[in-house]
Amino acid sequence: MKTILVPVELHELSQSTLQTAALLGLAFDSYLEGFTLSPALSPFMAADAMGTMVLYQEDAQDNGENAAKARQAFLDAMQAHAIPETTGTGKGPHFGWHAETHGDDFIGNIGRAFDITVLGRPGSKYGQPRGTTLEAALFESGRPVLIAPPEPPRQFGKNILIVWNGSTETARTIAFALPLLARADRVVVLTVEGSSVSGPDGADIVTYLNRNDIACEARSVELEGRGVGETILAETAVHGSDLIIKGAYTQSRLRQLIFGGATREIIAETTLPVFMAH
């Protein structure tokens, strides 16, 4: 994980997102590249009599000020962790800044040239990280995403919980996560009964990881009247986990939107960093 993309948007999770990105960069001596993510459109839109959107001169000024603040927040986070800026390849953790402001679609495109993208946990309120940003990274970049929790973590990746459900998405996510798993002190492969698709069981994944020199253990739990996401989050407390690894959207996004699903629930409720891929 030598290259990390860090879209920077000023919201209530900015500090945690930047802290999470910095800790990941320090762990792998990575290059971190930040850029200003365009803010969401205001829920109050002005239009003229013909229904055409009215843009004000102040908008450009506000966007410029937002970009400057986003850049400064990124620089402050890098400085707080003694991560230097560099224009070359560099050795050890280092960072660069992409001067232009971009929207969600840019993340899906440029993210293909990075090992991972770090984002804040999406919320439903205006001014919080957007679900569309996460979906652009997950579905368009072909790379994994690390979702930062609401509170800045002091560390993560020492005690990892893998959520195994037999799916292609989760198998791909585990493969992406091998560098993290190799550094962990403890790895638990969790299977929630009744939530898996056809595929290898948890013991098979433990064997696979053992053959990659990763010590781990399998655990299977019942729902006991809870949802899958709730059960998974409860297990993180049982094991003292500091990172969740999970494949994203084994069910379709539309189905999860209508009926709910483990991915959606974990994204909404997690207090831990979550490593996801699709």
PDB file of all heavy atoms in Angstrom, residues 25 92 128 163 171 203 211 218 222:
ATOM      1  N   GLY A  25      -0.282   5.631   5.991  1.00  0.00           N
ATOM      2  CA  GLY A  25       0.941   6.019   5.292  1.00  0.00           C
ATOM      3  C   GLY A  25       2.191   5.751   6.091  1.00  0.00           C
ATOM      4  O   GLY A  25       3.212   5.292   5.558  1.00  0.00           O
ATOM      5  N   GLY A  92      10.451   6.460   2.454  1.00  0.00           N
ATOM      6  CA  GLY A  92       9.707   6.725   3.662  1.00  0.00           C
ATOM      7  C   GLY A  92       8.402   7.421   3.331  1.00  0.00           C
ATOM      8  O   GLY A  92       8.123   7.753   2.173  1.00  0.00           O
ATOM      9  N   GLN A 128     -22.036  16.145   5.766  1.00  0.00           N
ATOM     10  CA  GLN A 128     -21.302  14.936   6.140  1.00  0.00           C
ATOM     11  C   GLN A 128     -20.732  14.292   4.871  1.00  0.00           C
ATOM     12  O   GLN A 128     -21.147  14.620   3.759  1.00  0.00           O
ATOM     13  CB  GLN A 128     -22.234  13.957   6.846  1.00  0.00           C
ATOM     14  CG  GLN A 128     -22.733  14.443   8.194  1.00  0.00           C
ATOM     15  CD  GLN A 128     -23.662  13.441   8.856  1.00  0.00           C
ATOM     16  OE1 GLN A 128     -24.384  12.704   8.197  1.00  0.00           O
ATOM     17  NE2 GLN A 128     -23.649  13.417  10.190  1.00  0.00           N
ATOM     18  N   VAL A 163     -14.713 -10.321   7.930  1.00  0.00           N
ATOM     19  CA  VAL A 163     -16.086 -10.807   7.816  1.00  0.00           C
ATOM     20  C   VAL A 163     -16.172 -11.667   6.562  1.00  0.00           C
ATOM     21  O   VAL A 163     -16.150 -11.155   5.440  1.00  0.00           O
ATOM     22  CB  VAL A 163     -17.087  -9.639   7.738  1.00  0.00           C
ATOM     23  CG1 VAL A 163     -18.507 -10.178   7.648  1.00  0.00           C
ATOM     24  CG2 VAL A 163     -16.923  -8.717   8.939  1.00  0.00           C
ATOM     25  N   ALA A 171     -13.523 -12.272  -1.085  1.00  0.00           N
ATOM     26  CA  ALA A 171     -12.245 -12.892  -1.467  1.00  0.00           C
ATOM     27  C   ALA A 171     -11.303 -11.842  -2.056  1.00  0.00           C
ATOM     28  O   ALA A 171     -10.103 -11.811  -1.747  1.00  0.00           O
ATOM     29  CB  ALA A 171     -12.494 -14.012  -2.478  1.00  0.00           C
ATOM     30  N   ALA A 203     -13.028 -21.963   7.653  1.00  0.00           N
ATOM     31  CA  ALA A 203     -11.830 -22.786   7.856  1.00  0.00           C
ATOM     32  C   ALA A 203     -10.950 -22.792   6.608  1.00  0.00           C
ATOM     33  O   ALA A 203      -9.711 -22.810   6.709  1.00  0.00           O
ATOM     34  CB  ALA A 203     -12.241 -24.211   8.225  1.00  0.00           C
ATOM     35  N   ARG A 211      -1.264 -20.326   4.828  1.00  0.00           N
ATOM     36  CA  ARG A 211      -0.304 -20.601   3.762  1.00  0.00           C
ATOM     37  C   ARG A 211       0.368 -19.335   3.246  1.00  0.00           C
ATOM     38  O   ARG A 211       1.384 -19.408   2.551  1.00  0.00           O
ATOM     39  CB  ARG A 211      -0.993 -21.360   2.624  1.00  0.00           C
ATOM     40  CG  ARG A 211      -1.316 -22.803   3.001  1.00  0.00           C
ATOM     41  CD  ARG A 211      -2.179 -23.499   1.996  1.00  0.00           C
ATOM     42  NE  ARG A 211      -2.370 -24.910   2.363  1.00  0.00           N
ATOM     43  CZ  ARG A 211      -3.350 -25.677   1.900  1.00  0.00           C
ATOM     44  NH1 ARG A 211      -4.246 -25.173   1.050  1.00  0.00           N
ATOM     45  NH2 ARG A 211      -3.441 -26.937   2.290  1.00  0.00           N
ATOM     46  N   ALA A 218     -10.674 -19.063  13.157  1.00  0.00           N
ATOM     47  CA  ALA A 218     -12.031 -18.986  12.623  1.00  0.00           C
ATOM     48  C   ALA A 218     -13.031 -18.924  13.768  1.00  0.00           C
ATOM     49  O   ALA A 218     -12.839 -19.532  14.821  1.00  0.00           O
ATOM     50  CB  ALA A 218     -12.327 -20.187  11.743  1.00  0.00           C
ATOM     51  N   GLU A 222     -24.134 -17.164  15.622  1.00  0.00           N
ATOM     52  CA  GLU A 222     -25.536 -17.122  15.222  1.00  0.00           C
ATOM     53  C   GLU A 222     -26.050 -15.681  15.296  1.00  0.00           C
ATOM     54  O   GLU A 222     -25.516 -14.856  16.036  1.00  0.00           O
ATOM     55  CB  GLU A 222     -26.370 -18.007  16.148  1.00  0.00           C
ATOM     56  CG  GLU A 222     -25.958 -19.471  16.169  1.00  0.00           C
ATOM     57  CD  GLU A 222     -26.427 -20.225  14.934  1.00  0.00           C
ATOM     58  OE1 GLU A 222     -27.256 -19.661  14.182  1.00  0.00           O
ATOM     59  OE2 GLU A 222     -25.975 -21.367  14.743  1.00  0.00           O
TER      60      GLU A 222
END
